[in-house]
CSV table of all heavy atoms in Angstrom, one decimal:
chain,number,residue,atom,x,y,z
B,6,GLY,N,85.9,93.5,108.1
B,6,GLY,CA,84.6,94.0,108.6
B,6,GLY,C,83.5,93.0,108.3
B,6,GLY,O,82.6,92.8,109.1
B,7,PHE,N,83.6,92.4,107.1
B,7,PHE,CA,82.6,91.4,106.7
B,7,PHE,C,82.6,90.2,107.7
B,7,PHE,O,81.6,89.8,108.2
B,7,PHE,CB,83.0,90.9,105.3
B,7,PHE,CG,82.2,89.7,104.9
B,7,PHE,CD1,80.8,89.7,104.8
B,7,PHE,CD2,82.9,88.5,104.6
B,7,PHE,CE1,80.1,88.6,104.4
B,7,PHE,CE2,82.2,87.4,104.2
B,7,PHE,CZ,80.8,87.4,104.1
B,8,LEU,N,83.8,89.7,108.1
B,8,LEU,CA,83.9,88.6,109.0
B,8,LEU,C,83.4,89.0,110.4
B,8,LEU,O,82.7,88.2,111.0
B,8,LEU,CB,85.4,88.1,109.1
B,8,LEU,CG,85.6,86.8,109.9
B,8,LEU,CD1,84.8,85.7,109.3
B,8,LEU,CD2,87.1,86.5,109.9
B,9,ILE,N,83.6,90.2,110.8
B,9,ILE,CA,83.1,90.6,112.1
B,9,ILE,C,81.6,90.7,112.1
B,9,ILE,O,81.0,90.2,113.0
B,9,ILE,CB,83.7,92.0,112.5
B,9,ILE,CG1,85.2,91.9,112.8
B,9,ILE,CG2,83.0,92.6,113.7
B,9,ILE,CD1,85.9,93.2,113.1
B,10,LEU,N,81.0,91.2,111.0
B,10,LEU,CA,79.6,91.3,111.0
B,10,LEU,C,79.0,89.9,111.0
B,10,LEU,O,78.0,89.6,111.6
B,10,LEU,CB,79.1,92.0,109.7
B,10,LEU,CG,79.4,93.5,109.6
B,10,LEU,CD1,78.8,94.0,108.3
B,10,LEU,CD2,78.8,94.3,110.7
B,11,PHE,N,79.7,89.0,110.2
B,11,PHE,CA,79.2,87.6,110.1
B,11,PHE,C,79.3,86.9,111.5
B,11,PHE,O,78.3,86.3,111.9
B,11,PHE,CB,80.1,86.8,109.2
B,11,PHE,CG,79.8,85.3,109.2
B,11,PHE,CD1,78.6,84.8,108.8
B,11,PHE,CD2,80.7,84.5,109.8
B,11,PHE,CE1,78.4,83.4,108.9
B,11,PHE,CE2,80.5,83.1,109.9
B,11,PHE,CZ,79.3,82.6,109.4
B,12,LEU,N,80.3,87.1,112.2
B,12,LEU,CA,80.5,86.5,113.6
B,12,LEU,C,79.4,87.1,114.5
B,12,LEU,O,78.8,86.4,115.3
B,12,LEU,CB,81.9,86.7,114.1
B,12,LEU,CG,83.0,86.0,113.4
B,12,LEU,CD1,84.4,86.4,113.9
B,12,LEU,CD2,82.8,84.5,113.4
B,13,LEU,N,79.2,88.4,114.5
B,13,LEU,CA,78.2,89.0,115.3
B,13,LEU,C,76.8,88.6,115.0
B,13,LEU,O,75.9,88.6,115.8
B,13,LEU,CB,78.3,90.5,115.3
B,13,LEU,CG,79.5,91.1,115.9
B,13,LEU,CD1,79.5,92.6,115.8
B,13,LEU,CD2,79.6,90.7,117.4
B,14,SER,N,76.6,88.1,113.7
B,14,SER,CA,75.2,87.6,113.4
B,14,SER,C,74.9,86.3,114.1
B,14,SER,O,73.8,85.9,114.2
B,14,SER,CB,75.1,87.5,111.9
B,14,SER,OG,75.8,86.3,111.4
B,15,GLY,N,76.0,85.6,114.5
B,15,GLY,CA,75.8,84.4,115.3
B,15,GLY,C,75.4,84.7,116.7
B,15,GLY,O,74.4,84.1,117.3
B,16,LYS,N,76.1,85.6,117.3
B,16,LYS,CA,75.8,86.1,118.7
B,16,LYS,C,76.5,87.3,119.0
B,16,LYS,O,77.6,87.5,118.5
B,16,LYS,CB,76.1,85.0,119.7
B,16,LYS,CG,77.5,84.7,119.9
B,16,LYS,CD,77.7,83.8,121.2
B,16,LYS,CE,79.2,83.5,121.4
B,16,LYS,NZ,79.6,84.0,122.7
B,17,PRO,N,76.0,88.2,119.9
B,17,PRO,CA,76.7,89.4,120.3
B,17,PRO,C,78.0,89.0,121.0
B,17,PRO,O,78.1,87.9,121.7
B,17,PRO,CB,75.8,90.1,121.3
B,17,PRO,CG,74.4,89.5,121.0
B,17,PRO,CD,74.7,88.1,120.5
B,18,MET,N,79.1,89.7,120.8
B,18,MET,CA,80.4,89.4,121.4
B,18,MET,C,81.1,90.7,121.8
B,18,MET,O,80.8,91.8,121.2
B,18,MET,CB,81.3,88.7,120.4
B,18,MET,CG,80.8,87.3,119.9
B,18,MET,SD,82.2,86.6,119.0
B,18,MET,CE,81.3,85.4,118.0
B,19,HIS,N,82.0,90.6,122.7
B,19,HIS,CA,82.9,91.7,123.0
B,19,HIS,C,84.2,91.6,122.2
B,19,HIS,O,84.4,90.6,121.5
B,19,HIS,CB,83.1,91.9,124.5
B,19,HIS,CG,83.8,90.9,125.2
B,19,HIS,ND1,85.1,90.5,124.9
B,19,HIS,CD2,83.5,90.1,126.2
B,19,HIS,CE1,85.5,89.6,125.7
B,19,HIS,NE2,84.5,89.3,126.5
Side-chain angles (χ1 to χ4, degrees):
Chain B
F7 168 64
L8 186 58
I9 290 175
L10 291 183
F11 169 72
L12 293 176
L13 289 179
S14 74
K16 68 169 181 122
M18 295 189 201
H19 65 62

